[in-house]
Amino acid sequence: MRAVTEKQGTTLLTSPREGRLARLWKEIKANKVSYLFIAPYGILFLLFTIIPVFIAIGLSFTHYNMLQPPRWVGWENYLRLFLSDDVFLIAVKNTFVFAVLTGPLSYFASFLFAWFINELRPKIRAVFTLMLYAPSISGALFMIWTVMFSGDAYGYVNGFLLYWGFIKEPVQWLTDPKYMMGVVIVVVLWMSLGTSFLAFIAGLQGINPLLYEAGAVDGIRNRWQELFYITLPQMRGYLMFGAIMSITGSFTAAAQIIPLVGFPSTDYAGHTIVAHLIDYGNVRFEMGTASAIAVILFVTMVVVQRWVQRVLNKVGA
Amino acid sequence: MKKLQIWNSKPSRSFGGDLAILVFLSAGALFSILPLVYAVSNAFKPLNELFLFPPVFFVRNPTMNNFYDLFVLMSSSWVPFSRYVMNTLVISIAGTAGHVVLASLAAYALAKHDFPGSKAMFGVVILSLMFAREVTNIPNYLIVSRLGWVDTYWAIILPAWAMSLGLFLMKQFIEAMIDNALLEAARIEGASEWKIFWRIVMPNVKPGWLTLVILAFQSLWSETGGQFIYSEQLKTLPYALNQIIGGGIARAGVGAAVGVIMMIVPITVFVINQSKVIDTMGASGIK
């Protein structure tokens, strides 16, 4: 009972005359164990995530080329991105198109497949899980898609379509702006049964089977009722987790896109916000502007996440 | 007649629905696996089959030449190739183990203890997931070098211990899978929080941390060492293999072999862990 009772004890013992700081200190001392539990992770997290993020936010208001010390420029980086950088606006548009399509689709696919798999017996479930999950750990093997969608007649898709007479000449899948984004979305969806998918599977397996039996007694007739009345409310924490993974994954996509369509892609048709950030940071060495892009992207994702959270809170509420 | 043992024995299931699910799953599985089958079969193709028109899906005359070439290239590396393998194993195992333990400890406190700052800390961890990693590389490098860890394993391992993913995931698992009554009972028995964590929390969220092991291992296994590692004898396997593939089109077959080799270990980790997830459920869940 340590953590709980001691805390209740403190609130009772604290006299109203004591200052807020003193009270806080007492509470901290009472929860010593909890702080010890978070300390090792917390310290490393502070060092390797929080501090770097704050430095980057600071850099977004400077001109910094990594050779000379940063020079304060105020909002200049932000203004430049919105007012005089046409490519940035293209990247914003592409990112939204990409995120609106792949984010929800990968999210629902992850849940749907996990839910269906959970209906199966353990052995056959393991086989399906492995097959569906394999693409997301395929590493460099995903480059096989560049062979499939290769722009010459040796490409699989072109070879097939030519053979059956659907097209007369090879389509430049990965260089023609008309098709580029479509192909990218297919490949990214192919790899999308990853982190959330596994979390959903483990989460579904952790639901107490007694709940389903009780549900059956209470008159649940089919798997849809079971899903809405039992499974989804039990899965709320995981659903939130999956949503955040989908939002971050789809808004920060670039690592899988750049190898497919090249850098920069034709007419910037496959250029995303993070691709633009990489352009500033790793190619032009303008870390100030790159950091400003990261901040803009961060704010965007926070807004989207708040909205999605509000929608999700209604699930099973 | 006994029904085919594909399904979990749950009430309220229609045959049509079962069939639709099986068809849907099979279609998804085929779409997932076929490109990989093709990629793996490429690794066994002789050079003349790799560039055929029309392209052939399966290998006709399987050969181990690509793997043989890879091993020849490996043996001509600067440091013995086993060194790269060991580096990556050390980083992956130490990084995964530390991350799972530290993240679970913190997640347990955040999920089941209510103390000043707990909500704020969790909020910050979630927000941190949304900040693009590309721009924190430089601040990260400055911090690691200030600590004197550049060009050591620690530069990769310690940041991995505090990845945001594990804390977030473990908190959701602990909240959903650990019954407060169980913790209360243990506290009344006089168990310390440390003991409760190891004896009650961790065994009961086994499906959770086994999943985290898969995810953390996978991300560390593909770690190239990037900006932090300079000494050749500390470089990682993905780095060394990338150098080999960098040799151009003549190494296309070797590249496919590299892809297969890089995938074998994460797949093995996945299969072992996933079978254990199912074991635990078999013991506690299905009667």
PDB file of all heavy atoms in Angstrom, chain A residues 136-149:
ATOM      1  N   SER A 136       6.943  -5.125 -42.756  1.00  0.00           N
ATOM      2  CA  SER A 136       7.402  -3.970 -41.982  1.00  0.00           C
ATOM      3  C   SER A 136       8.799  -4.198 -41.415  1.00  0.00           C
ATOM      4  O   SER A 136       9.447  -3.256 -40.958  1.00  0.00           O
ATOM      5  CB  SER A 136       6.405  -3.633 -40.872  1.00  0.00           C
ATOM      6  OG  SER A 136       6.489  -4.573 -39.845  1.00  0.00           O
ATOM      7  N   ILE A 137       9.291  -5.434 -41.400  1.00  0.00           N
ATOM      8  CA  ILE A 137      10.687  -5.623 -40.983  1.00  0.00           C
ATOM      9  C   ILE A 137      11.541  -6.071 -42.155  1.00  0.00           C
ATOM     10  O   ILE A 137      12.606  -6.632 -41.988  1.00  0.00           O
ATOM     11  CB  ILE A 137      10.837  -6.636 -39.823  1.00  0.00           C
ATOM     12  CG1 ILE A 137      10.097  -7.931 -40.109  1.00  0.00           C
ATOM     13  CG2 ILE A 137      10.369  -6.053 -38.521  1.00  0.00           C
ATOM     14  CD1 ILE A 137      10.383  -9.012 -39.076  1.00  0.00           C
ATOM     15  N   SER A 138      11.060  -5.800 -43.378  1.00  0.00           N
ATOM     16  CA  SER A 138      11.798  -6.297 -44.538  1.00  0.00           C
ATOM     17  C   SER A 138      13.069  -5.496 -44.797  1.00  0.00           C
ATOM     18  O   SER A 138      13.888  -5.895 -45.601  1.00  0.00           O
ATOM     19  CB  SER A 138      10.902  -6.262 -45.774  1.00  0.00           C
ATOM     20  OG  SER A 138      10.510  -4.928 -46.034  1.00  0.00           O
ATOM     21  N   GLY A 139      13.235  -4.371 -44.087  1.00  0.00           N
ATOM     22  CA  GLY A 139      14.455  -3.586 -44.263  1.00  0.00           C
ATOM     23  C   GLY A 139      14.655  -3.209 -45.713  1.00  0.00           C
ATOM     24  O   GLY A 139      13.738  -2.729 -46.373  1.00  0.00           O
ATOM     25  N   ALA A 140      15.864  -3.494 -46.237  1.00  0.00           N
ATOM     26  CA  ALA A 140      16.201  -3.083 -47.592  1.00  0.00           C
ATOM     27  C   ALA A 140      15.419  -3.862 -48.645  1.00  0.00           C
ATOM     28  O   ALA A 140      15.356  -3.458 -49.800  1.00  0.00           O
ATOM     29  CB  ALA A 140      17.697  -3.254 -47.825  1.00  0.00           C
ATOM     30  N   LEU A 141      14.791  -4.971 -48.237  1.00  0.00           N
ATOM     31  CA  LEU A 141      14.086  -5.789 -49.229  1.00  0.00           C
ATOM     32  C   LEU A 141      12.902  -5.037 -49.847  1.00  0.00           C
ATOM     33  O   LEU A 141      12.426  -5.409 -50.905  1.00  0.00           O
ATOM     34  CB  LEU A 141      13.586  -7.093 -48.597  1.00  0.00           C
ATOM     35  CG  LEU A 141      14.630  -8.175 -48.327  1.00  0.00           C
ATOM     36  CD1 LEU A 141      13.958  -9.446 -47.859  1.00  0.00           C
ATOM     37  CD2 LEU A 141      15.466  -8.456 -49.565  1.00  0.00           C
ATOM     38  N   PHE A 142      12.438  -3.974 -49.169  1.00  0.00           N
ATOM     39  CA  PHE A 142      11.280  -3.281 -49.738  1.00  0.00           C
ATOM     40  C   PHE A 142      11.638  -2.609 -51.057  1.00  0.00           C
ATOM     41  O   PHE A 142      10.764  -2.264 -51.837  1.00  0.00           O
ATOM     42  CB  PHE A 142      10.683  -2.274 -48.731  1.00  0.00           C
ATOM     43  CG  PHE A 142      11.173  -0.877 -48.862  1.00  0.00           C
ATOM     44  CD1 PHE A 142      10.436   0.083 -49.546  1.00  0.00           C
ATOM     45  CD2 PHE A 142      12.375  -0.494 -48.290  1.00  0.00           C
ATOM     46  CE1 PHE A 142      10.890   1.380 -49.663  1.00  0.00           C
ATOM     47  CE2 PHE A 142      12.829   0.802 -48.402  1.00  0.00           C
ATOM     48  CZ  PHE A 142      12.088   1.735 -49.089  1.00  0.00           C
ATOM     49  N   MET A 143      12.934  -2.491 -51.320  1.00  0.00           N
ATOM     50  CA  MET A 143      13.358  -1.907 -52.593  1.00  0.00           C
ATOM     51  C   MET A 143      12.959  -2.785 -53.778  1.00  0.00           C
ATOM     52  O   MET A 143      13.085  -2.395 -54.926  1.00  0.00           O
ATOM     53  CB  MET A 143      14.863  -1.657 -52.598  1.00  0.00           C
ATOM     54  CG  MET A 143      15.283  -0.522 -51.687  1.00  0.00           C
ATOM     55  SD  MET A 143      14.422   1.005 -52.092  1.00  0.00           S
ATOM     56  CE  MET A 143      15.293   1.455 -53.592  1.00  0.00           C
ATOM     57  N   ILE A 144      12.465  -4.001 -53.486  1.00  0.00           N
ATOM     58  CA  ILE A 144      11.975  -4.869 -54.547  1.00  0.00           C
ATOM     59  C   ILE A 144      10.879  -4.161 -55.339  1.00  0.00           C
ATOM     60  O   ILE A 144      10.666  -4.443 -56.516  1.00  0.00           O
ATOM     61  CB  ILE A 144      11.466  -6.200 -53.927  1.00  0.00           C
ATOM     62  CG1 ILE A 144      11.466  -7.291 -54.974  1.00  0.00           C
ATOM     63  CG2 ILE A 144      10.095  -6.066 -53.310  1.00  0.00           C
ATOM     64  CD1 ILE A 144      12.827  -7.713 -55.386  1.00  0.00           C
ATOM     65  N   TRP A 145      10.193  -3.222 -54.696  1.00  0.00           N
ATOM     66  CA  TRP A 145       9.115  -2.509 -55.375  1.00  0.00           C
ATOM     67  C   TRP A 145       9.645  -1.631 -56.500  1.00  0.00           C
ATOM     68  O   TRP A 145       8.921  -1.333 -57.442  1.00  0.00           O
ATOM     69  CB  TRP A 145       8.324  -1.658 -54.383  1.00  0.00           C
ATOM     70  CG  TRP A 145       7.465  -2.494 -53.494  1.00  0.00           C
ATOM     71  CD1 TRP A 145       7.808  -2.978 -52.261  1.00  0.00           C
ATOM     72  CD2 TRP A 145       6.149  -2.980 -53.766  1.00  0.00           C
ATOM     73  NE1 TRP A 145       6.776  -3.722 -51.755  1.00  0.00           N
ATOM     74  CE2 TRP A 145       5.746  -3.737 -52.644  1.00  0.00           C
ATOM     75  CE3 TRP A 145       5.269  -2.834 -54.833  1.00  0.00           C
ATOM     76  CZ2 TRP A 145       4.495  -4.347 -52.577  1.00  0.00           C
ATOM     77  CZ3 TRP A 145       4.027  -3.443 -54.760  1.00  0.00           C
ATOM     78  CH2 TRP A 145       3.651  -4.190 -53.643  1.00  0.00           C
ATOM     79  N   THR A 146      10.898  -1.191 -56.404  1.00  0.00           N
ATOM     80  CA  THR A 146      11.438  -0.399 -57.506  1.00  0.00           C
ATOM     81  C   THR A 146      11.609  -1.284 -58.734  1.00  0.00           C
ATOM     82  O   THR A 146      11.548  -0.812 -59.856  1.00  0.00           O
ATOM     83  CB  THR A 146      12.795   0.237 -57.141  1.00  0.00           C
ATOM     84  OG1 THR A 146      13.693  -0.810 -56.789  1.00  0.00           O
ATOM     85  CG2 THR A 146      12.665   1.217 -55.994  1.00  0.00           C
ATOM     86  N   VAL A 147      11.824  -2.593 -58.524  1.00  0.00           N
ATOM     87  CA  VAL A 147      11.902  -3.513 -59.653  1.00  0.00           C
ATOM     88  C   VAL A 147      10.500  -3.738 -60.216  1.00  0.00           C
ATOM     89  O   VAL A 147      10.295  -3.738 -61.424  1.00  0.00           O
ATOM     90  CB  VAL A 147      12.528  -4.856 -59.215  1.00  0.00           C
ATOM     91  CG1 VAL A 147      12.669  -5.779 -60.414  1.00  0.00           C
ATOM     92  CG2 VAL A 147      13.866  -4.624 -58.543  1.00  0.00           C
ATOM     93  N   MET A 148       9.542  -3.920 -59.306  1.00  0.00           N
ATOM     94  CA  MET A 148       8.162  -4.168 -59.755  1.00  0.00           C
ATOM     95  C   MET A 148       7.635  -2.991 -60.572  1.00  0.00           C
ATOM     96  O   MET A 148       6.999  -3.167 -61.595  1.00  0.00           O
ATOM     97  CB  MET A 148       7.256  -4.352 -58.541  1.00  0.00           C
ATOM     98  CG  MET A 148       7.677  -5.511 -57.688  1.00  0.00           C
ATOM     99  SD  MET A 148       6.241  -6.464 -57.253  1.00  0.00           S
ATOM    100  CE  MET A 148       6.996  -7.799 -56.404  1.00  0.00           C
ATOM    101  N   PHE A 149       7.876  -1.777 -60.074  1.00  0.00           N
ATOM    102  CA  PHE A 149       7.331  -0.588 -60.727  1.00  0.00           C
ATOM    103  C   PHE A 149       8.382   0.113 -61.582  1.00  0.00           C
ATOM    104  O   PHE A 149       8.258   1.290 -61.874  1.00  0.00           O
ATOM    105  CB  PHE A 149       6.774   0.386 -59.692  1.00  0.00           C
ATOM    106  CG  PHE A 149       5.428  -0.029 -59.164  1.00  0.00           C
ATOM    107  CD1 PHE A 149       5.310  -0.569 -57.899  1.00  0.00           C
ATOM    108  CD2 PHE A 149       4.296   0.130 -59.948  1.00  0.00           C
ATOM    109  CE1 PHE A 149       4.069  -0.959 -57.422  1.00  0.00           C
ATOM    110  CE2 PHE A 149       3.054  -0.254 -59.471  1.00  0.00           C
ATOM    111  CZ  PHE A 149       2.938  -0.808 -58.197  1.00  0.00           C
TER     112      PHE A 149
END
